[in-house]
Amino acid sequence: MRQVSIVGIGQTKAGEHWERSLRDLASDAILAALKDAHAEKVDALYVGNMLSGELTAQQHLGTLIADWAGLGGVEAIRVEAADASGAAAVRLGYLGVASGVQDVVVVCGVEKTTDADAETTTAAWSAGTDAEYEAFQGLTMPAMAGLLMRRYMQEFGVGREDLAPFAVNAHKNGANNPNAMFRSTISVETFMKGGMLADPIGMFDAAPLCDGAAAVVLCAGERARDLGGRPVRILASAMATDRLALHSRRDPLFLHAAYLSALKAYEQAGVGPREIGLFELHDAFTVMAALSLEACGFADRGQGTRLAKDGEIGLQGRIPLSSMGGLKARGHPIGATGVYQIVELAQQLRGEAGANQVQAHLGMAQSLGGSGATAVTHILGA
Amino acid sequence: MRQVSIVGIGQTKAGEHWERSLRDLASDAILAALKDAHAEKVDALYVGNMLSGELTAQQHLGTLIADWAGLGGVEAIRVEAADASGAAAVRLGYLGVASGVQDVVVVCGVEKTTDADAETTTAAWSAGTDAEYEAFQGLTMPAMAGLLMRRYMQEFGVGREDLAPFAVNAHKNGANNPNAMFRSTISVETFMKGGMLADPIGMFDAAPLCDGAAAVVLCAGERARDLGGRPVRILASAMATDRLALHSRRDPLFLHAAYLSALKAYEQAGVGPREIGLFELHDAFTVMAALSLEACGFADRGQGTRLAKDGEIGLQGRIPLSSMGGLKARGHPIGATGVYQIVELAQQLRGEAGANQVQAHLGMAQSLGGSGATAVTHILGA
């Protein structure tokens, strides 16, 4: 098994791209990443995407994007794991290079939601739940998160305002990220005043779905120097799953897949949560941020909000979260999000995060699919 | 890079499964394959599927099926490459084991088309073309094949009846396969009388879409003996792509992706077409069988039908094709087909093909996505 490094990164702005199609967004990110890596030829393309079949009547994205980006004949596969599609694509790129079968691969996450109306998108997004038992009852993703948040508040005596710091922090960081969808800070007061989406999930608990594409070039460690990019090492790559339906889980407030994949990643990298200097987590809803912190060993059960309250999740805190805006402020282009997280972590570890620069040598990214049924965790090192 | 072997196979019947849902079909095939391999624990699940989002409003299939099949927490990813989704999943399972990251993986291809009406399915299937330039003009998959077949007939002076032997051969072999959808033989006369789907594609040129699931268990060569199954070695695994849209290809009658992936596979296995004793090819339409034979070096340009006419594609011929019925008679459960091909090749190499047994030590399977824009080729050895 070979060491794998990230030698190139690229991204489009996350947001509403009315004038660009899915293939354009993906190609923009890929070409930027290849340029950054000084790479011209790759051995494979992995594309993470969830909804292009439902929203744009286009599948077969691996080949479409390889064709459009001019990668000429290269092996190309599309990967889907609901919201974690992008991170799963990174995982497969990692396996391709680690195996020795592929030397240089490019991984792209892309989603285009503005080609369909919001109702269609919301319905399609709920295909990440157990459709026959959850979506068919009318449960959308915000509704699923609402069930979790209500139970969390009840079980641990937490109020809505206790979750506010996750959103406030994300928006503060997003304000300095030129690729973020939302670049305004918000106050706790604004947070509390947001309209309800799925009680108790308010507008500022939820990340916005949007368009976007991000890409990374991976290569074998020994070749990283030849390619001229500033390499960031992938110290661990791990994935795990849980029961898909919320009602099947013994304890819905414990994200077992997040726990398992983090555990495997810690073992592979030979570190624990103490050594992790920043954490790009899956803050699709504020309650998911709290649950992730607990599952990954950064906080005890029911104590995830305390870290946020104590200011420990800011750029200078004990464990900076969502350092470039997270899903909440950068935006959540569903199948692209997992790759954005890796790109942003690489920006931080390369010292290219601008006003949001965190001093850290070790960072972790964790992407969740559905209501936490899939988790992909990567640990990167400078 | 480690040697990879197939140590377990499983399949449901291909056909119309009105009483079984997608998750049931997939679990049936997976549990059969695990039983065949005497394996209880796997490190990962790869699921090949094209249309479950569009046809059953269910995505996130990796996790759903891992959950339903009782694989408890295992890493699980869904893979899509249009009609080649199943073969692409086999390719990723191969990479996972070859890399040393995973020791035992299960790969499942599954499709459920009877949950939607035929028009919805036909429209969804065309998402494997370049949707903005082809499907949006009303081009379905049979229509795309019709364009290719008309051009083939014109360019090489071939008649419709010259393509008949591919269908006749497939139906003859399917008659002896208990898992095939169609188990009746057909004559050239029946073939010629079939109604037109998309002139010149007649009913008997086209494989039927259907439901089905197939699964294989892969493990590292050195562990194959421990697991108790009869191992079949994967001697080569290769994938390539072409321009997605037919009109973008320099020569639409040359399947460049099929050629490239076969070339890579021959190199990896250290063999050529002469050494291949049987070939499970992508006979979604008769003309595709002819084009595949030519692209893979079994026939000269425009001569693919001659092999068929000379009786060389039968079970006792020079290069037996579609030995268990192929897509044409076994049925084409889109995202499952690539795994069915591997299962059937393994049946042959294990000497378990019953009345259709071919005497061969080396077999090749090739799965195509869209109108040949993606090709995945595997060479297996007894």
Side-chain angles (χ1 to χ4, degrees), chain A residues 54 59 63 67 241 243 374, chain B residues 54 59 63 67 74 243 374:
Chain A
E54 288 88 335
Q59 299 240 35
T63 304
D67 182 1
T241 59
R243 308 297 305 269
T374 298
Chain B
E54 287 88 333
Q59 299 240 37
T63 304
D67 182 0
V74 80
R243 307 296 304 269
T374 297

Side-chain angles (χ1 to χ4, degrees), chain A residues 120-191:
Chain A
T120 305
T121 305
T122 302
W125 191 24
S126 69
T129 70
D130 188 327
E132 290 179 26
Y133 294 91
E134 295 179 323
F136 284 10
Q137 315 302 325
L139 276 167
T140 59
M141 290 296 292
M144 299 279 290
L147 292 174
L148 279 174
M149 182 164 158
R150 175 64 69 199
R151 175 81 171 257
Y152 189 84
M153 291 164 68
Q154 163 78 20
E155 200 111 338
F156 299 120
V158 162
R160 279 199 67 227
E161 65 283 2
D162 295 319
L163 291 158
F166 291 114
V168 171
N169 172 65
H171 276 277
K172 187 174 169 199
N173 294 340
N176 290 322
N177 177 3
N179 291 308
M181 181 172 187
F182 293 142
R183 303 195 56 193
S184 308
T185 57
I186 61 165
S187 64
V188 175
E189 205 180 1
T190 314
F191 174 91

Side-chain angles (χ1 to χ4, degrees), chain B residues 149-163 290 294 302-306 309:
Chain B
M149 182 164 158
R150 176 63 70 199
R151 175 83 170 256
Y152 189 83
M153 291 164 68
Q154 163 78 22
E155 201 111 338
F156 299 119
V158 162
R160 279 199 66 227
E161 65 283 3
D162 295 319
L163 290 157
E294 296 170 19
Q303 303 295 315
T305 58
R306 189 167 294 179
K309 215 186 230 163

Side-chain angles (χ1 to χ4, degrees), chain B residues 261-275:
Chain B
S261 76
L263 197 68
K264 286 199 269 184
Y266 292 145
E267 278 177 15
Q268 191 188 346
V271 301
R274 275 177 199 282
E275 281 80 40

Side-chain angles (χ1 to χ4, degrees), chain A residues 283-306:
Chain A
D283 55 342
F285 302 97
T286 49
V287 65
M288 298 309 284
L291 293 175
S292 293
L293 284 172
E294 296 170 18
C296 297
F298 292 97
D300 290 337
R301 297 293 307 278
Q303 303 294 316
T305 59
R306 189 168 293 181

